[in-house]
């Protein structure tokens, strides 16, 4: 079963460039993100808040025991996936969902184990250029210590208007 074209990344949807979403439309789309069948559901994504102007998004993740490592904390690759989600979304929010943002590279530094409990993360688009964006993210343990920090680069893929003949 394929996604309806209005739910696809704009660079995959075909057709004319998408209209920028309003703040309310962004909130609706992000609020539904964790209930659709995609990685957001697996990670337990829940929107807390966002700022289009300041290019950030705060989210809560609800990891399940299936995402734990042998020590009982969230596995590092899953933490990186959570960070990839909020950082990529920070660019999408800043661009009002008018582009696609595949990750080109990502680096995560781990500081404290992340318990298999609800936790908070923030993604921040630090610079958005014509074709590339730079992002940073932080995820906190439920007690408030930093579990990990991440930096990444993504491609900014905009739909080009059809050439006039």
């Amino acid at each position: 079963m394929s996604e309806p074209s209005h739910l696809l990344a704009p660079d995959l949807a075909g057709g004319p460039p998408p209209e920028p979403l309003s703040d309310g439309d962004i909130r609706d789309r992000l609020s539904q993100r964790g209930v659709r069948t995609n990685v957001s559901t697996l990670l337990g994504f829940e929107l807390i808040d966002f700022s289009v102007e300041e290019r950030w998004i705060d989210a809560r993740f609800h990891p399940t025991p299936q995402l734990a490592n042998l020590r009982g904390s969230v596995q590092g690759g899953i933490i990186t996936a959570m960070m990839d989600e909020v950082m990529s979304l920070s660019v999408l929010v800043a661009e009002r969902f008018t582009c696609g943002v595949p990750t080109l590279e990502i680096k995560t530094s781990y500081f404290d184990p992340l318990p298999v409990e609800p936790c908070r993360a923030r993604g921040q688009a630090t610079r958005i250029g014509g074709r590339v964006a730079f992002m940073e993210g932080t995820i906190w343990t439920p007690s408030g210590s930093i579990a990990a920090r991440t930096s990444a680069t993504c491609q900014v893929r905009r739909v080009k208007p059809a050439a006039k003949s």
Side-chain angles (χ1 to χ4, degrees):
M1 178 182 203
S2 63
E3 292 275 355
S5 64
H6 72 281
L7 296 178
L8 291 173
D11 63 315
L12 300 176
E19 290 295 319
L21 297 182
S22 68
D23 286 10
D25 289 339
I26 291 171
R27 186 167 304 284
D28 290 346
R29 182 170 287 190
L30 292 174
S31 295
Q32 292 300 310
R33 193 164 186 86
V35 296
R36 289 203 337 257
T37 305
N38 60 31
V39 73
S40 295
T41 305
L42 174 69
L43 299 174
F45 175 90
E46 175 191 1
L47 174 67
I48 296 174
D49 204 1
F50 66 90
S51 171
V52 172
E53 295 77 20
E54 296 175 10
R55 305 185 305 205
W56 57 261
I57 177 173
D58 282 349
R60 188 169 290 109
F61 288 97
H62 300 269
T64 61
Q66 292 82 5
L67 304 179
N69 59 27
L70 294 176
R71 294 182 177 211
S73 57
V74 178
Q75 193 269 345
I78 300 299
I79 293 170
T80 298
M82 292 172 174
M83 299 308 300
D84 189 32
E85 187 77 356
V86 294
M87 290 186 303
S88 296
L89 286 171
S90 72
V91 177
L92 288 173
V93 163
E95 294 292 311
R96 295 190 176 275
F97 282 81
T98 59
C99 60
V101 292
T103 302
L104 297 171
E105 62 85 25
I106 192 166
K107 177 188 183 269
T108 303
S109 299
Y110 303 96
F111 301 103
D112 273 338
L114 185 63
V116 180
E117 300 173 23
C119 56
R120 184 175 67 89
R122 172 174 276 209
Q124 173 83 46
T126 57
R127 181 160 191 246
I128 302 173
R131 295 185 182 190
V132 175
F134 300 93
M135 309 165 291
E136 295 177 349
T138 304
I139 191 163
W140 291 270
T141 67
S143 65
S145 66
I146 294 174
R149 285 205 168 134
T150 305
S151 60
T153 307
C154 69
Q155 186 179 34
V156 179
R157 295 177 59 179
R158 293 179 172 84
V159 176
K160 293 184 173 85
K164 296 182 181 182
S165 36

